[in-house]
């Protein structure tokens, strides 16, 4: 189509402003509050509108830049969107870890992450790297008792293999700040850490110059409950502190930034995570620019993305595959440089060949079948994602500046500012899960009543670190409190006690009793209780008789609010007369009847406003 015809076609349609769209929506709402109905109040500190137009991005400074151009919002690459398929191996024994790594490489992985706490000798390093070519496979060390010692062993083994060290790529997860947050104290001292960092950078520069020497573990913050903007803001502050310290040790900005790796967690907040990676590159380029680098290449940000653990579950673990799939999509579309997809079963056991294969193949499907590796920054121009990029950047920049006002990241940790900020957000997220405003499918909503996980959970090593000089942060999963409920029930049954029975006494209005029975069934199954559903009873007496015959501990009356006025009190009285220990619950929130029904023997009420976790804990304590 010619430009003339193109312009003629669209000139036939009058332009519609944002205000006109909003006025039409308000009209269609017929008096409902626009802000309450349609504005999303995010935990990140900004609001999301129901629609976006070109007016929202007209004045954004980064609009119109190309991929590979400063400020690198659109990524570092210009001709593709490829990334490293990395497989992290969660095995400590070097021989076993090597076998898993060789298999992953043979199946297409081009980067491997090793835990090397137990690799302390040259023989063990040789066992770890057996049959692996470090010139073609990138090697990452994710944990170590001493990174300088691991680095020395690695460099010596490269020499033994006759490897061209200039072709070796990978990283060590050297991050003293995350150590401090985890343990509640500095590894040694801030000064000694800086000396050790400078030594590591110089060792790498002189031996394996394409290796990454320092890692900023934003993923740890996300797995401790931080919001997306907190993860980004604090990560940038940490990286800036590292740069400042290393410049003080005689290194230049152009020597430092190519050796930094940002390890960012990826949650299931699909569009936000795409925007986060774009915002990260924008802000990092602005920060590095202030150090006057000689090359614009020094302003680029290397991002490793890892699917997070925060939203992963023990129960219904196959759902974890769906979660990691959307997370991997976000990371790819956001332009990550490498990616690790966690195996779906890693929440409760050491991953096996099958689960590692599924994790790898998630990335291969995105590449080979969906072509996510072909197009650079496909989100460019999206009114929504471009606006999100700007909003996330603005909020993260506020956090970065607040840390700087506290004299840097170390001071912010020592004052517990980082820890308190993250913990406050984690509490809000925990409450959203407890109230089921945030749904973890299979755990706090729609659980599989027939599933049992107690005997499948392996004893896993965990950090029992206690805060010493300052408060520490702990990575955990949002599902853990609900999982503990179900595991407690399973343990009780395994010890020979009867599983608590919840009888749904459905009566009256067909639609309402079915809806409330479904709600109650999901509610109590979250604690692993046995739920007995029914097709409906004609009279209160018939329902009470069936409930007592079922030997149930809990009876949930399921009907409509209108009918509760007549039938709930008689049912409660009959149940208390014939089985005084029965817990009588009403499904719903009939506000005007609550005191009357409590007087008749109703023990509790459950509705969408109920704190599910606290309600189930209280009931479980009574029954087990």
């Amino acid at each position: 189509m010619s430009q003339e015809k193109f312009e003629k076609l669209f000139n036939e349609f009058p332009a519609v402003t944002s205000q006109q769209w909003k006025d039409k929506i308000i009209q269609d709402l017929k008096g409902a509050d626009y802000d309450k109905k349609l504005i999303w109040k995010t935990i990140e500190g900004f609001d999301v509108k129901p629609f976006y137009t070109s007016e929202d991005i007209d004045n954004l400074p980064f609009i119109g830049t190309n991929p590979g151009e400063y400020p690198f919002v659109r990524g570092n690459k210009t001709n593709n969107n490829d990334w490293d398929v990395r497989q992290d191996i969660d095995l400590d024994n070097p021989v076993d870890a090597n076998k898993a790594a060789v298999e992953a490489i043979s199946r297409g992985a081009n980067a491997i992450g090793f835990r090397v706490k137990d690799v302390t000798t040259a023989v063990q390093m040789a066992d770890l790297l057996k049959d692996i070519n470090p010139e073609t496979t990138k090697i990452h060390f994710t944990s170590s008792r001493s990174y300088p010692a691991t680095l020395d062993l690695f460099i010596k083994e490269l020499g033994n293999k006759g490897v061209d060290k200039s072709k070796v790529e990978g990283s060590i997860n050297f991050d003293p700040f995350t150590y401090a947050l985890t343990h509640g104290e500095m590894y040694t001292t801030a000064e000694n850490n800086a000396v050790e960092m400078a030594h590591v950078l110089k060792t790498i520069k002189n031996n394996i110059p394409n290796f990454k020497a320092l890692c900023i573990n934003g993923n740890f913050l996300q797995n401790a409950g931080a919001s997306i903007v907190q993860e980004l803001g604090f990560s940038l502050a940490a990286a800036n502190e590292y740069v400042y310290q290393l410049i003080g040790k005689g290194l230049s900005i152009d020597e430092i930034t190519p050796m930094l790796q940002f390890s960012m967690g990826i949650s299931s907040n699909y569009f936000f995570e795409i925007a986060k990676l774009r915002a990260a590159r924008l802000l990092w380029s602005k920060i590095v620019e202030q150090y006057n680098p000689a090359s614009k290449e020094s302003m680029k940000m290397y991002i490793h993305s890892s699917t997070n653990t925060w939203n992963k579950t023990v129960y219904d673990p196959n759902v974890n595959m769906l979660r990691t799939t959307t997370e991997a999509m976000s990371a790819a579309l956001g332009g990550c440089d490498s990616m690790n997809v966690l195996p779906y079963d890693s929440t409760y056991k050491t991953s096996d060949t099958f689960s590692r294969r599924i994790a790898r193949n998630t990335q291969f499907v995105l590449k080979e079948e969906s072509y996510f590796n072909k197009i650079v920054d496909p989100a460019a121009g999206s009114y929504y994602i471009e606006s999100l990029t700007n909003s996330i950047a603005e909020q993260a920049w506020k956090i970065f500046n607040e840390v700087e006002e506290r004299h840097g990241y170390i001071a912010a940790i020592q004052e517990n500012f980082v820890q308190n900020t993250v913990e406050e957000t984690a509490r809000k997220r925990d409450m959203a899960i407890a109230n089921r405003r945030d749904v973890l499918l299979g755990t706090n909503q729609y659980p599989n009543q027939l599933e049992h996980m107690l005997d499948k959970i392996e004893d896993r090593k965990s950090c029992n670190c206690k805060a010493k000089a300052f408060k520490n942060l702990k990575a955990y999963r949002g599902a853990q409190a609900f999982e503990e409920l179900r595991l407690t029930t399973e343990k009780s049954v395994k010890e020979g006690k009867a599983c608590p029975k919840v009888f749904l006494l459905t009566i009256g209005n067909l639609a309402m009793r079915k809806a409330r029975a479904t709600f109650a069934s999901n509610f109590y199954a979250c604690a692993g209780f046995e739920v007995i559903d029914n097709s409906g009873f004609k009279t209160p007496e018939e329902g009470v008789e069936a409930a007592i015959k079922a030997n149930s501990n809990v009876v949930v009356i399921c009907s409509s609010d209108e009918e509760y006025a007549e039938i709930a009190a008689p049912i409660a009285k009959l149940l208390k007369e014939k089985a005084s220990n029965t817990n009588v619950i009403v499904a719903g929130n009939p506000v005007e009847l609550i005191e009357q029904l409590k007087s008749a023997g109703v023990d509790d009420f459950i509705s969408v406003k109920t704190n599910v976790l606290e309600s189930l804990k209280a009931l479980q304590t009574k029954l087990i």
Side-chain angles (χ1 to χ4, degrees):
M1 181 184 292
S2 68
Q3 183 67 23
E4 181 181 353
K5 289 182 178 180
F6 181 85
E7 292 177 356
K8 182 179 179 182
L9 173 63
F10 283 93
N11 285 338
E12 294 178 5
F13 299 93
V16 180
T17 66
S18 294
Q19 188 59 49
Q20 287 174 307
W21 277 113
K22 184 174 179 179
D23 291 342
K24 176 58 177 172
I25 292 170
I26 290 173
Q27 179 184 342
D28 291 344
L29 286 173
K30 297 178 181 179
D33 188 285
Y34 174 87
D35 288 346
K36 289 184 178 179
K37 283 285 185 180
L38 299 178
I39 299 294
W40 174 15
K41 306 290 183 182
T42 70
I43 201 167
E44 279 71 27
F46 59 89
D47 295 341
V48 174
K49 302 188 297 183
F51 70 97
Y52 288 82
T53 71
S54 60
E55 294 175 29
D56 293 292
I57 66 171
D58 282 344
N59 297 319
L60 298 184
F62 53 82
I63 295 298
T65 59
N66 292 318
E69 290 182 356
Y70 173 87
F72 306 106
V73 176
R74 300 198 60 198
N76 302 332
K77 300 176 281 286
T78 58
N79 59 354
N80 64 61
N81 189 44
D82 207 4
W83 67 89
D84 293 335
V85 176
R86 175 171 149 182
Q87 182 108 67
D88 284 2
I89 308 298
D90 57 347
L91 298 169
D92 291 317
N93 181 280
V95 174
D96 294 338
N98 170 262
K99 289 179 181 178
V102 169
E103 180 193 23
I105 295 165
S106 71
R107 300 283 186 173
N110 65 334
I112 297 294
F114 285 120
R115 291 195 317 217
V116 290
K117 287 188 176 180
D118 293 337
V119 176
T120 57
T121 68
V123 172
Q124 289 171 328
M125 181 61 73
D127 288 341
L128 188 71
L129 299 179
K130 182 182 177 183
D131 299 327
I132 296 175
N133 183 356
E135 292 183 16
T136 56
T137 299
K138 297 178 183 179
I139 305 298
H140 301 267
F141 297 110
T142 62
S143 65
S144 174
R145 298 186 191 279
S146 168
Y147 282 110
T150 295
L151 191 60
D152 288 342
L153 289 173
F154 180 58
I155 292 171
K156 288 177 182 176
E157 180 58 22
L158 294 178
N160 293 337
K161 281 177 168 284
V163 168
D164 182 349
K165 295 177 184 176
S166 66
K167 295 181 180 179
V168 174
E169 295 183 55
S171 69
I172 55 173
N173 189 22
F174 188 30
D175 184 2
F177 294 158
T178 296
Y179 178 95
L181 285 171
T182 303
H183 293 79
E185 62 179 358
M186 302 300 289
Y187 180 63
T188 52
T189 66
E191 175 60 24
N192 285 346
N193 284 337
V195 170
E196 194 168 283
M197 283 189 292
H199 167 74
V200 167
L201 259 73
K202 290 173 182 176
T203 300
I204 287 177
K205 178 186 175 184
N206 294 331
N207 292 277
I208 41 177
N210 293 312
F211 218 67
K212 304 295 181 186
L214 284 174
C215 187
I216 294 87
N217 285 282
N219 58 327
F220 168 75
L221 295 170
Q222 191 175 100
N223 290 328
S227 69
I228 283 171
V229 298
Q230 288 168 352
E231 177 194 14
L232 178 53
F234 287 134
S235 294
L236 292 170
N240 185 56
E241 183 97 1
Y242 282 142
V243 169
Y244 176 78
Q245 289 185 351
L246 290 167
I247 286 177
K249 297 300 176 185
L251 287 96
S252 71
I253 187 67
D254 294 284
E255 291 175 307
I256 298 166
T257 58
M259 292 195 185
L260 297 183
Q261 173 177 275
F262 288 80
S263 185
M264 309 298 287
I266 299 292
S267 71
S268 293
N269 196 342
Y270 183 67
F271 292 109
F272 276 52
E273 291 291 359
I274 296 172
K276 180 185 76 179
L277 298 191
R278 302 173 88 247
R281 289 190 294 269
L282 167 68
L283 294 180
W284 182 239
S285 68
K286 297 291 186 182
I287 292 169
V288 175
E289 185 179 31
Q290 304 310 306
Y291 290 95
N292 298 314
S295 170
K296 284 191 178 292
E297 292 293 307
S298 299
M299 300 185 207
K300 291 181 177 180
M301 183 186 217
Y302 184 91
I303 300 175
H304 170 66
S305 291
S306 180
T307 57
N308 76 3
T309 58
W310 166 263
N311 64 343
K312 303 306 182 292
T313 59
V314 167
Y315 286 92
D316 211 349
N318 288 349
V319 179
N320 291 335
M321 296 186 209
L322 304 179
R323 297 180 179 117
T324 55
T325 297
T326 65
E327 291 163 9
M329 290 170 66
S330 292
L333 295 176
C336 71
D337 297 290
S338 69
M339 188 194 312
N340 174 49
V341 174
L342 293 173
Y344 72 93
D345 57 356
S346 60
T347 53
Y348 64 93
K349 62 185 284 288
T350 301
S351 58
D352 55 29
T353 300
F354 176 75
S355 61
R356 289 194 293 267
R357 178 186 176 189
I358 292 294
R360 285 192 307 274
N361 286 355
T362 300
Q363 297 191 55
F364 294 140
V365 168
L366 294 182
K367 285 189 176 190
E368 305 301 330
E369 298 186 21
S370 302
Y371 304 110
F372 277 38
N373 60 331
K374 302 296 183 185
I375 308 300
V376 180
D377 193 25
S382 162
Y383 303 149
Y384 179 43
I385 296 177
E386 296 285 18
S387 296
L388 279 183
T389 299
N390 188 63
S391 295
I392 290 172
E394 287 179 343
Q395 295 301 316
W397 191 245
K398 289 179 182 178
I399 292 173
F400 175 84
N401 283 326
E402 191 163 0
V403 171
E404 291 303 296
E405 289 169 4
R406 294 171 181 271
H407 308 292
Y409 199 62
I410 293 176
I413 291 174
Q414 292 172 335
E415 294 172 6
N416 293 323
F417 172 69
V418 176
Q419 300 91 312
N420 291 339
T421 302
V422 172
E423 285 181 349
E424 178 59 28
T425 299
R427 280 192 290 270
K428 292 177 182 178
R429 297 179 73 182
D430 286 340
M431 185 59 68
I433 292 171
N435 290 325
R436 297 204 290 197
R437 290 195 303 274
D438 286 351
V439 172
L440 293 174
L441 191 66
T443 299
N444 73 341
Q445 187 68 284
Y446 305 119
N448 178 358
Q449 297 182 41
L450 302 178
E451 185 178 33
H452 302 284
M453 294 298 297
L454 182 63
D455 294 332
K456 298 179 182 179
I457 298 175
E458 292 180 1
D459 289 330
R460 309 296 295 275
K461 294 179 181 178
S462 60
C463 178
N464 296 316
C465 310
K466 295 182 179 179
K468 296 177 182 177
F470 39 80
K471 184 185 291 187
N472 62 330
L473 275 177
K474 295 181 181 179
Y476 70 105
R477 293 178 297 103
Q480 283 180 212
F482 273 95
E483 290 169 355
E484 189 58 37
L485 276 173
R486 287 190 71 174
L487 291 172
T488 298
T489 300
E490 285 193 42
K491 288 175 186 174
S492 176
V493 172
K494 189 174 182 179
E495 291 168 358
K497 299 177 183 177
C499 182
K501 289 184 181 180
V502 178
F503 186 91
L504 306 184
L505 200 160
T506 53
I507 189 169
N509 182 285
L510 180 62
M512 288 303 301
R513 79 189 189 206
K514 282 188 173 182
R516 283 180 163 160
T518 299
F519 175 84
S521 179
N522 287 327
F523 191 102
Y524 290 105
C526 289
F529 297 166
E530 179 185 347
V531 180
I532 305 170
D533 200 354
N534 295 281
S535 58
F537 300 98
K538 295 180 180 178
T539 65
E541 292 78 9
E542 181 185 359
V544 168
E545 184 179 347
I548 293 172
K549 187 176 181 180
N551 196 28
S552 53
N553 311 92
V554 181
V555 175
V556 184
I557 307 170
C558 302
S559 190
S560 64
D561 285 359
E562 293 78 12
E563 290 168 298
Y564 284 148
E566 296 183 4
I567 62 175
I571 290 173
K573 288 178 180 178
L574 273 172
L575 283 167
K576 292 297 185 180
E577 288 173 4
K578 296 188 176 184
S580 59
N581 291 330
T582 302
N583 293 271
V584 182
I585 314 291
V586 167
N589 187 35
V591 178
E592 296 178 358
L593 300 172
I594 286 177
E595 293 306 319
Q596 174 189 337
L597 295 180
K598 282 184 176 180
S599 299
V602 172
D603 296 290
D604 204 357
F605 301 80
I606 60 170
S607 70
V608 292
K609 295 181 179 180
T610 302
N611 183 314
V612 182
L613 184 62
E614 292 304 317
S615 177
L616 291 175
K617 278 184 177 178
L619 185 58
Q620 187 182 65
T621 300
K622 292 171 67 176
L623 300 179
I624 293 179

